Amino acid sequence: MLPADPRMIFKLFNYFYLLTRPFLKWILHRFTNLCELQRICYGCAPGALRTKKVQTSLELSRRPRIRQMIVILNELVNRDVDEYFLMEEIHTRAIGTVLQVKKINPKVHIDFPRTFGVCAEKIWSYKRLVCLVEQLRSTQYDSENPEHEKKLLTLWKLLMGDDEPLENRISNQWQDIGFQGDDPKTDFRGMGVLGLDNLVFFAREYNGAARHLLSHSHHPTHGYFMAIVGINLTSMAYHLLKSGVARTHFYNQPRLSIETFHHFYCYLFFEFDRYWVECKPKSIMDFSWIQKKFEENIRKLLTSDSCCFKMNLLVENI
């Protein structure tokens, strides 16, 4: 007899859950006199678990007004409206709609609007962050753009200092900080300006750590191409964010912005370097399997609702 396919079991479980969900909600509402969103907000600790459950409840809702509210807020995110305006819309539209549809009296349930509002902010701030990151990724590096060129030269200065000036814009010196050739612009094709912004942010905010990693990258046996590895980690951070796998980390942050993503990237870069050194690779040819194993470890950590990555303050400014 063939063993049962876990994916088929999950699909069957999900099917029966969706089939019985309205009845289960009705039973729980009768016994608790609270709607599902209230039960989540009152029963779950603040953070990723509460926010993810609120998001699931909203997305599975059959109420036309709630579904319309979700569509409107998603459209505002996609239109890249001002963050302040988006937050105002979340508070007035999301909270107001839920209070009316669920017939929740805010004078009786005083804490609910604030608690639900925090979750709603996180949900649509995350979606907005995905859009902002995607815009940077899709913006190709342009050597004719003065702003792009300024960032690139800033990266050199942050990592190499004033003692070793860049002799020419096109130079094999770029290989000293881990680019493949004489002109770094070709290395940004996959991740666009996002890859450069990540590198510059890391080199500026954690300059001691960035220079420490650069010294590791020059090791005669265990060395690697720092800038290229950094761009590969940008790709990893981008896909974890866009797929939603990284929601646990971001939902546990006090506020979401493009800087939050940069800090996430910095954590990945710093931890990858530590993992690389621990693995003691024989050559750069070991990069693929080490990166794959590292990503598997990160994905495993992200399955925990308490996941919140932080730089190790004891060593980040070595």
Side-chain angles (χ1 to χ4, degrees), residues 155-164 176-177 211 214:
L155 177 63
W156 173 269
K157 188 172 182 179
L158 287 168
L159 290 176
M160 302 301 287
D162 296 323
D163 296 334
E164 192 168 346
D176 294 341
I177 60 173
R211 290 192 176 207
L214 182 60

Side-chain angles (χ1 to χ4, degrees), residues 232-289:
N232 271 275
L233 291 171
T234 292
S235 177
M236 175 181 164
Y238 163 75
H239 286 103
L240 289 173
L241 178 82
K242 190 170 184 180
S243 66
V245 173
R247 282 188 308 164
T248 48
H249 166 75
F250 286 95
Y251 282 173
N252 285 323
Q253 301 301 310
R255 182 177 176 274
L256 300 187
S257 66
I258 192 64
E259 285 75 22
T260 318
F261 178 78
H262 289 324
H263 280 292
F264 175 58
Y265 165 83
C266 292
Y267 172 86
L268 294 178
F269 205 160
F270 191 81
E271 289 300 312
F272 176 80
D273 176 79
R274 183 183 61 79
Y275 187 69
W276 175 269
V277 173
E278 286 180 358
C279 289
K280 293 181 171 58
K282 295 178 181 179
S283 71
I284 192 64
M285 299 303 292
D286 289 336
F287 176 77
S288 293
W289 74 262

Side-chain angles (χ1 to χ4, degrees), residues 44-64:
C44 294
L49 178 61
R50 179 191 287 175
T51 304
K52 288 198 295 183
K53 286 194 172 186
V54 165
Q55 184 172 0
T56 298
S57 178
L58 290 174
E59 291 174 350
L60 292 178
S61 177
R62 297 181 179 181
R63 299 294 186 91

